[in-house]
Amino acid sequence: MLEIRDLHVEIGEKEVLHDVNLTIGNGETHVLMGPNGSGKSTLLMTLMGFANYNVTKGTITYNGEDITQLPIHERAQRGIGIMFQRPPTISGLKLGKLLAATYGDRPDEIAEMARNLNMDRFLDRDINKGFSGGEIKRSEVLQLTAQSPKFVMLDEPESGVDLENISLIGHAIGKLLEKDVHIVNRKKSGLVITHTGYILDYLDADKGHVMCDGEIKCHGNPREILKEIKARGYRECLECRSM
Ligand code: ADP
Ligand code: MG
């Protein structure tokens, strides 16, 4: 579904990503880990097509099409979706209105979707305005559920969420990634950034990757990688090259 070849990305004058290679097949979910500031969010924002993330070299291919220069809305139309690490507040736009724009004007179904994420009281509120950290994350998952993307990118979905709501978010994300569908019939793919690994309980993660200094340094079983990081920290990732 997604193939990243030799990707180099600059923000302003600064090169943030270099030599990034990654292939994600149909129905696969990959997990991305790495220390703060290593470039994980930059990779997701670049794949979504945000304008200030400047691809200086390399290609992004999505379902066989080179989308490296495609504008953001055309990527969204092709089924690419993102849950931001820190989404903006949008004053004047009600959450319910945005959901109706992406999902269609079906208020009963939208209310049901919102209830499943404990967000039904928020449909008449401006997006993220005065929302707590956990409410923002639930609102993001709700927006993705309405969009139902084919390629789902999640940037630290569980950070700042209390344990009770992690289970709500986790189940909603599992549904987005068709966890209940048998692996051979699964169509949706995902790329998920996590620090804690809690979200792994709700996904069938196929592969894990560690990003350090703007480069993917290692691939492997996501749970094994997480165990290593918990035991030894990221420092050893800089030397280790278990590709
Ligand atoms: P991560 O998500 O792995 O914590 P980021 O992708 O957010 O890391 O950031 C990678 C690097 O790029 C950091 O050094 C960060 O300061 C820098 N960076 C990110 N966004 C910008 C920006 N808009 N302007 C300048 N530098 C940026
Ligand atoms: Mg980040």
Side-chain angles (χ1 to χ4, degrees), residues 145-187:
T145 303
Q147 188 195 345
S148 189
K150 295 192 190 90
F151 182 64
V152 182
M153 298 189 283
L154 307 170
D155 198 342
E156 300 194 26
E158 78 273 48
S159 80
V161 180
D162 60 44
L163 285 174
E164 195 179 332
N165 282 307
I166 280 187
S167 145
L168 276 186
I169 283 189
H171 282 113
I173 288 173
K175 233 173 169 177
L176 267 177
L177 287 163
E178 299 183 320
K179 189 181 192 292
D180 298 337
V181 176
H182 190 277
I183 185 120
V184 296
N185 295 321
R186 219 174 269 163
K187 299 252 172 352

Side-chain angles (χ1 to χ4, degrees), residues 225-237:
I225 293 177
L226 193 72
K227 211 165 87 188
E228 289 287 313
I229 293 167
K230 279 187 173 160
R232 304 197 245 193
Y234 282 116
R235 205 161 31 90
E236 295 196 21
C237 292

Side-chain angles (χ1 to χ4, degrees), residues 22-23 31 33 66 73 80 100-101 116 127 132 143 151 154 157 165 170 181 190 192 203 211-212 214-215 227 233:
L22 185 64
T23 303
V31 173
M33 290 167 268
D66 185 342
H73 65 279
I80 301 179
N116 289 338
I127 292 173
S132 74
Q143 290 167 52
F151 182 64
L154 307 170
N165 282 307
V181 176
V192 183
L203 321 158
M211 180 169 265
C212 293
E215 207 179 331
K227 211 165 87 188

